[in-house]
């Protein structure tokens, strides 16, 4: 153990150096298979879940195009807003 000079601002516990205990080295491939399995399962479950199915996205896009066309033909901002609000409901 190496004794450091005592500083008045440090408690006594911080002025004594103690060597770290040597922990055994863990091989890099020890848990690699578990990690890869977890990553693979997570990616598979993420690919299966979508908030809106493909045809639902097509329908949303079509209604948005129709609403944009109708809204562009409105003469007042209130009518324009009414078209977009009707699309959302």
């Amino acid at each position: 153990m190496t004794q450091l000079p005592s500083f008045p601002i440090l408690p006594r516990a911080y002025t004594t150096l103690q060597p770290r205990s040597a922990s055994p080295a863990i091989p890099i491939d020890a848990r690699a298979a578990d990690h890869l399995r977890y990553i693979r399962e997570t990616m598979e479950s993420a690919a299966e879940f979508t908030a809106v199915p493909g045809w639902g996205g097509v329908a949303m896009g079509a209604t948005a195009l129709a609403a944009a066309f109708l809204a562009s033909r409105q003469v007042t901002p209130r009518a324009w807003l009414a078209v977009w609000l009707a699309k959302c409901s």
Side-chain angles (χ1 to χ4, degrees):
M1 218 180 321
T2 305
Q3 190 70 23
L4 293 177
S6 180
F7 294 103
I9 58 170
L10 293 175
R12 181 93 175 125
Y14 292 117
T15 60
T16 304
L17 294 179
Q18 297 183 8
R20 290 192 336 184
S21 61
S23 59
I26 300 172
I28 195 165
D29 62 342
R31 298 201 31 144
D34 291 335
H35 291 284
L36 287 175
R37 187 178 309 107
Y38 173 76
I39 292 169
R40 193 172 292 124
E41 289 170 359
T42 303
M43 293 299 290
E44 287 172 358
S45 66
E48 293 171 4
F49 174 77
T50 56
V52 179
W55 287 111
V58 171
M60 285 190 308
T63 57
L65 287 173
F69 176 75
L70 290 174
S72 70
R73 303 269 185 215
Q74 303 306 312
V75 293
T76 64
R78 184 175 288 220
W80 178 89
L81 181 61
V83 169
W84 281 108
L85 291 176
K87 183 243 183 251
C88 294
S89 60

